[in-house]
Amino acid sequence: MGNLIGLLRQISHWILFVVLEVISLMLLFSYNGYQGSVWFSSANSISGSLNEVTSLVEAFFTQSSINTELTQRNVELQQENEYLRSCLKAKDQNSKLCVPMDKRDASIPAKVITNSIHERNNIITLDKGYKDGIRENMGVVDGNGVVGVVYLVSDHYCTVLSLLNSRTRLSCMIKHRGVFGMFHWRGKEYDMAHVEDVPMHIRFNAGDTMITSGYSTIFPKGIPVGTVVEAHKAPDGFSCQVKIKLMTDFTRLRDVRVLKNSQWAERRNLETLSADSLGK
């Protein structure tokens, strides 16, 4: 305590100086119009700059939740759109095959932790795992289209085979044309891929949309994969290879959805039993 009092005595003249300066400034700005207006304008400018910075920070942290909501809504609209198309087609054919959408099917929101685009076999890591309902071989999408397939799962994380992976295979079709092919990424451009084994006699145009065919237990029919850029004859001479521009921008990937299919396990088990039975 004695040391503190001694220190205050040593700097007492500085304290008195600061107090007098504050009082003089207050008197100056209070009783002089010009100086007061200058102070008011400067204070407003500083306050505005601080508010702008605060607004940017708040926007940064709220943008993530907005992106998550938009991604979810886009995925839901894609699925609903394909469902309605199938219903209209069934109606045109006087069919009763249009059944209500399975409300048990849903998607799990997740965020990308790591993502590579320049490797031969690119892997994505998500912040959701087994305890969040993630299982192997679930499809992963964003608001634009297909992202990849869940590969390995731990309690709180999972890895995804990106479309930018030479091991990824995906059954695709040209929208409105019913032409099927197999997706393949050749390990070069991060925004381009190929769909192989497309019949030679089919006519299509640049800009046509390539979507999932629904022939697998991973993705439902109708999720965008890419748009047609060009096509050329395959080495076998009996099919063509279609170059597509991917819908998903893997350089800006952040919010994704992992697709849950309540009928996936049932269908997979049935197909396995059928294969085993035929094998015997």
Side-chain angles (χ1 to χ4, degrees):
M1 189 65 181
N3 292 335
L4 178 59
I5 294 174
L7 178 62
L8 292 176
R9 287 176 177 174
Q10 290 179 5
I11 62 172
S12 59
H13 57 285
W14 288 107
I15 297 175
L16 179 61
F17 173 76
V18 172
V19 171
L20 292 175
E21 282 291 322
V22 171
I23 294 174
S24 63
L25 289 173
M26 290 176 62
L27 293 173
L28 176 66
F29 293 128
S30 297
Y31 296 100
N32 292 275
Y34 176 75
Q35 286 81 357
S37 64
V38 171
W39 163 254
F40 184 76
S41 300
S42 301
N44 278 348
S45 177
I46 295 172
S47 177
S49 299
L50 291 175
N51 288 335
E52 184 179 0
V53 172
T54 302
S55 177
L56 290 173
V57 172
E58 290 178 352
F60 175 80
F61 285 106
T62 57
Q63 185 178 11
S64 179
S65 61
I66 294 173
N67 287 339
T68 300
E69 293 174 2
L70 289 175
T71 299
Q72 177 181 0
R73 187 58 181 155
N74 282 340
V75 172
E76 291 173 351
L77 287 174
Q78 288 171 5
Q79 294 175 335
E80 183 177 348
N81 182 54
E82 189 58 35
Y83 165 75
L84 292 174
R85 286 183 181 278
S86 64
C87 286
L88 289 174
K89 184 177 180 181
K91 184 178 180 180
D92 292 339
Q93 298 174 352
N94 295 320
S95 172
K96 296 182 179 180
L97 294 177
C98 183
V99 297
M101 291 182 70
D102 190 347
K103 298 301 182 181
R104 297 173 297 171
D105 291 353
S107 58
I108 303 170
K111 290 190 180 296
V112 175
I113 298 176
T114 61
N115 176 30
S116 61
I117 61 173
H118 297 296
E119 305 296 331
R120 172 67 176 173
N121 294 305
N122 294 289
I123 298 291
I124 300 169
T125 304
L126 305 181
D127 67 345
K128 296 295 175 64
Y130 192 87
K131 292 187 176 181
D132 302 294
I134 307 295
R135 301 294 183 267
E136 293 179 4
N137 295 314
M138 283 184 170
V140 182
V141 300
D142 72 349
N144 298 311
V146 176
V147 172
V149 180
V150 175
Y151 181 53
L152 294 176
V153 184
S154 65
D155 284 346
H156 302 289
Y157 302 95
C158 69
T159 56
V160 176
L161 286 185
S162 167
L163 283 186
L164 307 183
N165 190 304
S166 63
R167 297 174 58 183
T168 299
R169 293 293 184 271
L170 180 66
S171 177
C172 301
M173 62 182 293
I174 299 176
K175 191 174 183 180
H176 305 316
R177 298 183 184 273
V179 182
F180 300 93
M182 188 60 64
F183 176 92
H184 181 219
W185 186 64
R186 298 181 178 179
K188 296 180 180 179
E189 301 167 292
Y190 60 78
D191 59 343
M192 297 288 179
H194 288 80
V195 176
E196 302 174 343
D197 301 324
V198 177
M200 286 285 296
H201 66 278
I202 300 300
R203 299 289 183 182
F204 51 87
N205 303 310
D208 285 350
T209 302
M210 195 73 69
I211 60 176
T212 54
S213 67
Y215 278 4
S216 72
T217 57
I218 298 175
F219 293 100
K221 179 182 176 182
I223 299 179
V225 179
T227 55
V228 175
V229 176
E230 60 183 10
H232 54 86
K233 184 182 294 186
D236 60 16
F238 299 102
S239 63
C240 65
Q241 298 175 341
V242 181
K243 186 176 183 179
I244 63 172
K245 180 175 178 61
L246 298 177
M247 288 288 193
T248 298
D249 184 355
F250 285 89
T251 63
R252 303 176 61 183
L253 196 60
R254 177 58 179 168
D255 295 286
V256 298
R257 310 285 301 188
V258 183
L259 301 180
K260 292 174 62 179
N261 185 349
S262 59
Q263 299 176 349
W264 177 85
E266 177 184 352
R267 176 178 170 182
R268 192 64 176 265
N269 289 336
L270 180 61
E271 292 175 350
T272 301
L273 288 174
S274 299
D276 292 342
S277 176
L278 291 174
K280 294 179 180 179

